[in-house]
Amino acid sequence: MAERRSPAYPSPTRRTVLRTAMAAGLAGLVLPSAAACAPGPAADSMTVAGGESGGFYLEFATLLAASLQRHGVARSASALETGGSLDNMDRLASGEATLAIALSDAATDRLRTQRMLALGKVYENYLHCLVRADSGIMGPADLAGRTVAVGDPRSGTSLTARRLLEAAHLAAAPSTVQLGLNQGLAALHAGTVEALFWSGGVPTAAITAFAAGTRLRLLDLSALIPALRSGFGAFYDRVLIREDSYAGVPATWTVGVANLLLCREDLAADVARSAVNLLLEHSGELVPAASRGVQYLSPETLISTAGVPLHPGAEDAYRTFHG
């Protein structure tokens, strides 16, 4: 179920849906020597920095933590509820988190001030710009002068949304407020904001619940991708939120940004290697049951980490996997 792309927005990667490519296709490629996830000593404990309740980051982090423990990568593992990408990298730096999920644009930006490594490029985030269906807001240009929630200040959404608004060159600057997913949805319901940015998987559970009682529209943001790439780098791709991913919302093109799974430089090589083997061999365990649009990248592009260096243990795992 490969996603269609416009020829005007070519991508160097070929994405396939996790359920088919990573759960089924990889099975025939795994070498016997990579069969065990934990060839070395298990970590005593691991913590995965996730995201907000109702968002895909926390769901993914919870499933990953359970899988790390199930397959003996760690004796115990847990997920942290956080504000998102920026908060996750802070917790990684402080040692509160062993692993962290972060948007590739935010992670590359953070490399200027923080030393960290990547285990892989894991899945695609879809940038949502949500408005009420009766708002009269039909496209990004209509955000001029409006009140817009741009994400929790600790989230990668806040970075991507501000970059997009800058790239849009709106006739009048919007009034931006820093609200995360759940606060932003409440504000959209109350009418105190007119649009809400959120970067996450499809469908995002909290938006699904909200859309059941409120008619929503998603704005097509894809026309801004050339300006985003020109101004901030080639992190941004054209992706499709499929029809009825949310009740009554038609298919909408938007901006995709890949997520990286990050670690500290002092993560043991055996643990890093085992975690990557888990991604390659057991990634079917990491997909929330309701997900439709979440896509993993192919085995070849897991190692394409947007300029964030791979952990040496991860390099070993990919080298063994590919023979």
Side-chain angles (χ1 to χ4, degrees):
M1 197 163 72
E3 186 168 276
R4 291 180 60 206
R5 296 179 181 277
S6 164
Y9 297 89
S11 170
T13 65
R14 178 184 178 272
R15 294 181 183 81
T16 50
V17 176
L18 174 66
R19 297 184 194 281
T20 56
M22 294 292 284
L26 294 185
L29 296 176
V30 177
L31 300 174
S33 61
C37 277
D44 287 334
S45 65
M46 296 180 73
T47 303
V48 185
E52 292 187 64
S53 175
F56 188 80
Y57 268 25
L58 186 58
E59 292 182 85
F60 177 83
T62 301
L63 292 169
L64 177 58
S67 192
L68 289 166
Q69 187 168 320
R70 182 182 305 116
H71 295 288
V73 181
R75 294 183 179 87
S76 66
S78 59
L80 279 176
E81 186 173 339
T82 71
S85 294
L86 305 183
D87 192 14
N88 290 350
M89 290 185 286
D90 288 341
R91 293 175 189 245
L92 192 66
S94 71
E96 185 179 356
T98 317
L99 304 178
I101 310 159
L103 289 168
S104 58
D105 58 348
T108 304
D109 188 65
R110 180 63 70 89
L111 278 180
R112 294 180 296 178
T113 58
Q114 180 178 344
R115 294 177 66 84
M116 56 190 173
L117 298 173
L119 296 181
K121 189 186 207 181
V122 285
Y123 71 92
E124 190 87 359
N125 257 24
Y126 296 68
L127 186 62
H128 299 56
C129 186
L130 293 161
V131 299
R132 296 174 67 109
D134 59 1
S135 67
I137 300 173
M138 306 302 294
D142 296 327
L143 297 175
R146 306 278 189 160
T147 303
V148 179
V150 294
D152 188 297
R154 302 168 295 171
S155 71
T157 300
S158 63
L159 174 69
T160 308
R162 290 183 184 281
R163 286 181 171 183
L164 184 136
L165 291 172
E166 181 180 335
H169 299 292
L170 299 176
S175 175
T176 59
V177 291
Q178 294 187 308
L179 297 175
L181 175 61
N182 296 297
Q183 289 180 317
L185 288 172
L188 193 63
H189 177 74
T192 54
V193 302
E194 297 167 274
L196 166 65
F197 280 99
W198 164 252
S199 185
V202 177
T204 292
I207 299 174
T208 298
F210 186 78
T214 304
R215 291 182 59 242
L216 294 174
R217 176 180 296 119
L218 280 166
L219 301 190
D220 184 337
L221 306 174
S222 61
L224 296 172
I225 291 172
L228 278 169
R229 287 178 171 174
S230 175
F232 304 104
F235 305 105
Y236 308 102
D237 206 356
R238 190 175 191 245
V239 295
L240 183 68
I241 298 178
R242 298 180 183 278
E243 183 176 6
D244 290 328
S245 294
Y246 304 106
V249 178
T252 307
W253 290 103
T254 190
V255 177
V257 184
N259 280 294
L260 306 181
L261 185 62
L262 304 170
C263 64
R264 288 165 54 101
E265 292 181 309
D266 58 4
L267 182 67
D270 282 341
V271 174
R273 187 181 303 110
S274 297
V276 169
N277 285 336
L278 188 154
L279 291 176
L280 291 169
E281 300 170 39
H282 299 285
S283 53
E285 300 175 8
L286 307 179
V287 186
S291 66
R292 286 185 66 185
V294 175
Q295 296 184 342
Y296 270 66
L297 305 182
S298 71
E300 291 75 21
T301 56
L302 279 166
I303 62 175
S304 300
T305 52
V308 180
L310 280 169
H311 190 289
E315 289 183 355
D316 285 348
Y318 291 123
R319 189 176 297 112
T320 299
F321 180 83
H322 291 292

